[in-house]
Each structure stands twice: as structure tokens, then as C-alpha cells.
Amino acid sequence: MTLRFILAGAVFSLLSACSSSPDILLNQNPKVIDVSELTQYWIQDNDYFRMNIGPKRMPPKDTEGFVEIRYLIDSNGNVFNPEIVKSEPEGFWDYSGMKALSKIQYKKADTNPLAVPVYVTTRIEFKF
């Protein structure tokens, strides 16, 4: 009976760990960088991704804009703590910007062997 309880607990723990979001890993204090320096530290691992915008979120024709988002790239290349810095038209593209950021993955650059975590602000533009 005790062995079953231990095995059930172990399985539950493993399944819980697999479904949880990753923890922030910081090999050292994050460095604040300009987006022009980003490729010296981290490289976007996926050059292309698709976003499905449902009919309720579809913008009117000819609606263009942007979102600037500040976020942390941790020592594993995961994105954390995103915050909207600026958007135009204000608030219109915030959801889409955050959704786009959630699909970006990073790998460390050859010039970043210590996997230095960084804070960066990126501008995501939307055009139809």
C-alpha cells in the first residue's frame, strides 16, 4: 500500500512538473541592452511563426500599428515579464503583440557562451 502511494506521488510530481511553466534561470544579473545589441546575446530560434487571429480580433482593413514590449530573456532563452512600453494606436495591438512575443524562442549567440540574461525592448509592427 505504501509503495503504491509513493509511486502515485512520484507520477503526479512528474506530470505536474511537465505541465508547469518554466522557472526563470539567471546565471548572473540581467543586462539591459538595446535591441540593436540583441544578436550579440540571443538569436531568435524561429524565423517564422503563424498567428491565427479570430474574427472578433480581426482589425479593420488598413489598420496598421505597433507595440513596443520590454521583456527578460533568461539564461535558458525563455521570455519572462513582458510589459507594454508603447503602442500605436494605443491599446489596439497590445494583445496581438503579447501573443506574438509568446511564440518567439531564443537560443544563445556564439558570442554569449555564459548565457547572459538580458532585458530588451522590441518593436513588433502590424500591417495588413
Side-chain angles (χ1 to χ4, degrees):
M1 183 80 160
T2 306
L3 183 57
R4 277 191 204 170
F5 181 75
I6 291 171
L7 285 174
V11 169
F12 178 74
S13 295
L14 285 172
L15 291 175
S16 297
C18 292
S19 65
S20 65
S21 60
D23 293 328
I24 295 176
L25 175 65
L26 301 175
N27 292 345
Q28 57 186 281
N29 288 333
K31 186 174 184 179
V32 178
I33 64 167
D34 186 77
V35 71
S36 64
E37 303 171 281
L38 183 57
T39 57
Q40 295 172 25
Y41 295 90
W42 298 96
I43 298 170
Q44 191 172 326
D45 200 19
N46 50 341
D47 292 333
Y48 172 80
F49 59 85
R50 169 175 269 182
M51 283 182 49
N52 293 326
I53 300 175
K56 291 182 180 179
R57 295 211 183 268
M58 188 61 98
K61 196 171 187 157
D62 298 328
T63 302
E64 296 183 359
F66 68 88
V67 177
E68 290 181 2
I69 306 174
R70 181 179 190 267
Y71 55 96
L72 169 69
I73 302 173
D74 79 345
S75 296
N76 282 330
N78 296 319
V79 173
F80 289 94
N81 306 330
E83 62 179 284
I84 304 292
V85 174
K86 183 177 180 182
S87 61
E88 187 67 41
E90 188 174 343
F92 191 84
W93 292 107
D94 292 4
Y95 173 82
S96 298
M98 289 294 212
K99 182 101 170 146
L101 182 65
S102 74
K103 295 182 178 289
I104 296 175
Q105 301 168 352
Y106 289 98
K107 62 182 177 183
K108 68 180 176 179
D110 292 339
T111 53
N112 186 16
L114 299 177
V116 175
V118 299
Y119 279 104
V120 66
T121 302
T122 299
R123 181 180 178 125
I124 300 173
E125 297 193 12
F126 296 92
K127 297 180 182 184
F128 280 88

